[in-house]
């Protein structure tokens, strides 16, 4: 059973395959001709934190593919509270065809995957956000300069070493791209992440660096990406983080003046306008943030089809007819209280 927990679990060939599938499903969807590839399938969506894009994209993706999604909002199920993650994983697996989980701790999603008998898809943890970055690289493919190969693209991530930063540095270096993380020294990617990114580069021919100089980072960049400077639970650190990042690391017109004219701006969203990025950049001509957000929907469709469809036992017409006949005959002949049904009584 394969799960989608970390892009590091996949080869470059597999990631390219997934991106090609995103493209096909996006085109079919735009033509309103998406096949019902997951007809009758169910997705359990576990959220320990709120979400707009991940929640909506997975739910709509399931509906569009002919399936169904259940939104299990924060605090709604016994996940590790009143019931072990192991038991929850085994029980939920008996009722749905796949699990999507946004968990506070990365260990929770890996524990779910360990015990689930259905594919588990990581919808963001404190370590990474693989569905986001698969969508992001697909979006870069769409918006790269004409004729420029993916391997020649440079991505500059300006800001805190967030879970999105972690995932983006992994997938970009897996794909053979150049990735630069730019932040004040205290907020730069931990050594453990850097080791993985550098090992990816040895395999892929990609390039990876870390700097505290944003002007240097955006020079020659094709894509400039940022994320929130603080998240839920880091409120006490806001003054310290604000002082470390502002104004030097804010993505604004002055910083973008140092980037090539074709460079695009990306953000996983939600954004704090006026903090890590200005309104002018968010609403300006370089921003591709809403294309990026829409692509979450197409990416989730591809992930669901790739991981869930192989496990669906799609019945033959003959098998469906046999079951329909057996159930129909039972209902025709028996009522709940054991009496003959009116139809059977009439015929008697
Ligand atoms: N980018 C992202 O995952 O957004 P949500 O938190 O709204 O799902």
């Amino acid at each position: 059973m394969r799960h989608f927990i970390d892009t590091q679990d996949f080869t470059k060939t597999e990631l390219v395959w997934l991106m090609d599938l995103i493209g096909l499903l996006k085109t079919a969807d735009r033509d309103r001709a998406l096949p019902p590839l997951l007809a009758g399938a169910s997705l359990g969506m576990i959220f320990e934190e709120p979400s707009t894009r991940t929640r909506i994209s997975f739910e709509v993706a399931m509906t569009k593919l002919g399936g169904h999604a259940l939104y299990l909002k924060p605090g709604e199920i016994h996940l590790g509270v009143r019931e072990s993650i192991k038991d929850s994983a085994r029980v939920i697996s008996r009722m749905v065809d796949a699990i999507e989980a946004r968990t506070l701790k990365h260990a929770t999603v890996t524990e779910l995957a360990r015990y689930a008998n259905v594919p588990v898809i990581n919808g963001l943890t404190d370590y990474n956000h693989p569905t986001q970055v698969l969508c992001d690289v697909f979006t870069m493919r769409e918006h790269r300069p004409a004729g420029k190969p993916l391997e020649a693209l440079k991505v500059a991530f300006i800001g805190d070493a967030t879970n999105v930063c972690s995932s983006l540095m992994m997938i970009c270096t897996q794909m053979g791209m150049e990735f630069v993380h730019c932040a004040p020294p205290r907020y730069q990617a931990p050594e453990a992440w850097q080791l993985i990114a550098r090992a990816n580069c040895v395999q892929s021919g990609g390039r990876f660096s870390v700097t505290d100089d944003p002007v240097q980072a955006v020079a020659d960049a094709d894509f400039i990406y940022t994320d929130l400077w603080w998240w839920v639970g880091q409120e006490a650190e806001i003054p310290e983080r604000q002082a470390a990042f502002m104004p030097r690391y804010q993505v604004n017109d002055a910083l973008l003046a140092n980037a090539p004219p074709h460079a695009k701006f990306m953000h996983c969203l939600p954004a704090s306008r006026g903090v890590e990025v200005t309104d002018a950049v968010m609403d300006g001509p370089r921003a591709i943030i809403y294309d990026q957000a829409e692509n979450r929907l197409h990416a989730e469709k591809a992930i669901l089809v790739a991981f869930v469809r192989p496990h669906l036992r799609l019945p033959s017409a003959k098998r469906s007819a046999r079951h329909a006949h057996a159930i129909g005959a039972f209902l025709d002949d028996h009522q709940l209280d054991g009496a003959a049904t009116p139809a059977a009584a009439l015929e008697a």
Side-chain angles (χ1 to χ4, degrees), residues 4 20 30 37-38 50 54-55 57 60 73 104 158 160 162 195 227 255 267-268 288-289 330 332 346:
F4 192 72
D20 291 344
R30 287 271 174 93
L37 296 167
L38 299 180
T54 308
R55 184 256 161 103
S57 58
V60 173
K73 66 175 190 264
L104 297 169
I158 314 290
D160 191 21
T162 61
L195 282 173
D227 192 4
L255 178 61
H267 194 307
C268 52
I288 53 170
I289 52 176
F330 174 84
D332 283 349
L346 261 176

Side-chain angles (χ1 to χ4, degrees), residues 47 50-57 102 123-124 129 131-132 164 225 231 267-270 296:
F47 282 87
S51 163
T52 299
R53 281 144 289 271
T54 308
R55 184 256 161 103
I56 296 174
S57 58
R102 168 169 292 194
L124 181 139
H129 200 354
T131 62
Q132 175 70 55
V164 170
Y225 200 122
W231 189 241
H267 194 307
C268 52
L269 305 178
R296 288 296 304 278

Side-chain angles (χ1 to χ4, degrees), residues 143-332:
H143 286 274
R144 65 187 148 168
K148 194 164 187 178
L150 200 63
E151 291 77 5
L153 297 178
K154 175 180 173 183
V155 179
F157 187 99
I158 314 290
D160 191 21
T162 61
N163 37 20
V164 170
C165 174
S166 140
S167 274
L168 200 61
M169 79 172 58
M170 301 315 170
I171 196 168
C172 288
T173 52
Q174 283 180 280
M175 301 305 293
M177 298 159 71
E178 179 172 0
F179 186 91
V180 181
H181 181 213
C182 175
R186 188 169 167 193
Y187 297 96
Q188 289 173 356
E191 194 54 36
W193 300 4
Q194 294 194 34
L195 282 173
I196 302 171
R198 289 186 207 284
N200 285 345
C201 291
V202 172
Q203 283 267 323
S204 69
R207 286 135 292 149
F208 174 78
S209 59
V210 177
T211 177
D212 63 356
D213 181 349
V215 172
Q216 182 200 324
V218 302
D220 304 326
D222 298 288
F223 297 95
I224 294 149
Y225 200 122
T226 192
D227 192 4
L228 298 169
W229 287 345
W230 52 82
W231 189 241
V232 180
Q234 293 176 326
E235 291 81 359
E237 299 174 33
I238 292 176
E240 185 187 331
R241 285 172 170 267
Q242 181 100 12
F245 286 104
M246 189 70 103
R248 195 170 177 220
Y249 298 91
Q250 185 187 58
V251 179
N252 53 33
D253 285 335
L255 178 61
L256 292 186
N258 299 289
H262 72 265
K264 304 288 186 215
F265 170 70
M266 299 179 74
H267 194 307
C268 52
L269 305 178
S272 285
R273 285 170 172 258
V275 182
E276 76 273 9
V277 57
T278 57
D279 279 327
V281 171
M282 288 283 282
D283 300 326
R286 290 177 184 267
I288 53 170
I289 52 176
Y290 303 120
D291 287 348
Q292 187 186 354
E294 179 197 323
N295 280 340
R296 288 296 304 278
L297 170 63
H298 308 302
E300 313 319 15
K301 281 184 296 196
I303 292 165
L304 289 164
V305 168
F307 289 86
V308 183
R309 188 172 157 79
H311 301 286
L312 296 180
R313 275 185 71 234
L314 301 172
S316 64
K318 193 171 157 193
R319 186 147 43 99
S320 295
R322 180 157 45 82
H323 285 292
H325 180 265
I327 296 163
F330 174 84
L331 294 173
D332 283 349

